[in-house]
Amino acid sequence: MRPDLDDGELVDALATEQHFRDHLRPIYDALPADRRGAFLEARGIPRSSRPTVVCSFGDLNRARHAGRPAILLEHGAGQTYRDAQGRLLQHTSYAGGRDRYGVILALVPGPTARDAYLEAGTLRDAPIVEIGVPKLDPWHDGHRLPELTSPPTIAFAFHWECLVVPETRSAWRRFLPSVVELARRRPDLRILGHAHPRLRQTIEPVYAKEGIEFEPDFDRVLDTASVYACDNSSTMYEFASTGRPVVVLNHRLYRKDVQHGLRFWEGARLGPQVDDPRELEKAIARALRPSSGAAELRRQSVALAYHATDGKATDRAVRAILDVVTG
């Protein structure tokens, strides 16, 4: 149902962390001038009845505590987790999460996130619209082409040490010695470090100590890497959606007999999987060899996460927002 609106039906955006701003900015910038309100970045925001676009649970809380109807953009790939009985864990940080009151529209990347919300029923009557990933539109529509380097760049990234389930744990301590050894043995490869923002303060000094370049900006990783190696992150799907291989790094605690969906394990065919760090170099070599079969498996995995990769995600998001706002 259309909310009561003020200020000429303006729409605000709220993002208090940089990676959330990266997701929201394309949508905010594409709103018509007569509908575009303020882009808010502070944790304390004024009370208003303006619809406010957010993409994290923390910012959702801030918006509704300020009396604002919320438009929720799922910023990840739609990864969810389940308990031993296969029941969806309605964690607030993931698609299908509990405590979604105040949401008047959900913008989701694709079918996995949509299905999680339908299963959970936590959005009540709010429409769910599959849009893709607005921040990736420049890569998907060909306006921003990768600047692939010679020698090839192999980017390594790791999740933060999250304790929701074993599959949210970080594999960086398990794989970093092999990454360092790869950098030492293979001067014909450029090794680049990256990490989830919550891991950066921990791992960046470790990379520096080992003489490995660290790139905090994932856009630059998208611009330059030939292969992306990662344990668990929505960035795996972002990178794969540009047509390049991902090497999937498995923590020893990841359970092969537990089916959470997407990364675990239906959508994990983004590239070679590595259980033993000693096999890392071979996996990188396989990823660097083009294969039509591997490309098709990658495409199928990406399709589980994203509605489309046609460069029109921002347009779909804006249309959905205006449909709600203008009634």
Side-chain angles (χ1 to χ4, degrees), residues 99-284:
D99 196 7
R100 294 299 197 258
Y101 73 87
V103 174
I104 60 171
L105 169 66
L107 303 172
V108 300
T112 296
R114 175 205 64 203
D115 290 350
Y117 274 116
L118 292 176
E119 178 181 349
T122 51
L123 287 173
R124 300 177 175 86
D125 296 327
I128 306 169
V129 180
E130 296 179 55
I131 62 170
V133 185
K135 79 162 191 171
L136 293 179
D137 281 349
W139 287 275
H140 290 164
D141 67 14
H143 280 86
R144 189 166 178 174
L145 297 174
E147 307 161 2
L148 299 182
T149 61
S150 182
T153 294
I154 314 300
F156 288 88
F158 296 98
H159 198 252
W160 66 289
E161 187 65 0
C162 177
L163 303 180
V164 172
V165 293
E167 289 70 35
T168 58
R169 300 287 294 271
S170 177
W172 80 266
R173 294 182 189 278
R174 177 172 172 78
F175 278 93
L176 192 63
S178 294
V179 175
V180 172
E181 178 66 11
L182 183 69
R184 184 187 67 80
R185 282 173 39 81
R186 295 292 302 274
D188 58 321
L189 300 175
R190 174 182 176 237
I191 305 301
L192 187 67
H194 182 68
H196 187 284
R198 293 184 180 178
L199 182 65
R200 179 181 173 182
Q201 286 189 325
T202 298
I203 201 170
E204 186 174 5
V206 179
Y207 278 126
K209 180 180 178 182
E210 299 295 346
I212 294 175
E213 179 185 356
F214 183 83
E215 176 53 71
D217 185 350
F218 184 67
D219 284 2
R220 290 300 300 157
V221 175
L222 281 175
D223 281 338
T224 60
S226 298
V227 174
Y228 186 60
C230 186
D231 50 3
N232 181 16
S233 171
S234 60
T235 57
M236 301 165 74
Y237 293 88
E238 294 180 14
F239 190 89
S241 73
T242 67
R244 286 169 286 173
V246 172
V247 173
V248 180
L249 307 178
N250 291 326
H251 195 296
R252 61 181 178 81
L253 296 178
Y254 293 172
R255 300 164 294 178
K256 293 288 184 71
D257 60 340
V258 175
Q259 301 297 324
H260 297 298
L262 211 57
R263 163 67 176 90
F264 305 99
W265 296 89
E266 182 184 7
R269 297 177 298 177
L270 300 169
Q273 290 195 43
V274 184
D275 295 318
D276 186 340
R278 292 172 296 183
E279 299 298 314
L280 181 60
E281 186 172 355
K282 292 180 181 178
I284 297 296

Side-chain angles (χ1 to χ4, degrees), residues 61-79:
N61 260 337
R62 294 179 184 99
R64 60 191 180 188
H65 288 166
R68 297 165 175 262
I71 296 167
L72 178 63
L73 172 70
E74 284 290 339
H75 70 277
Q79 184 64 58

Side-chain angles (χ1 to χ4, degrees), residues 11 45 60 65-66 78-79 110 129 157 225 252 266 268 294 299 304-305 309 320:
V11 178
I45 60 173
L60 168 61
H65 288 166
Q79 184 64 58
V129 180
R252 61 181 178 81
E266 182 184 7
R299 187 200 65 77
L304 294 173
T309 56

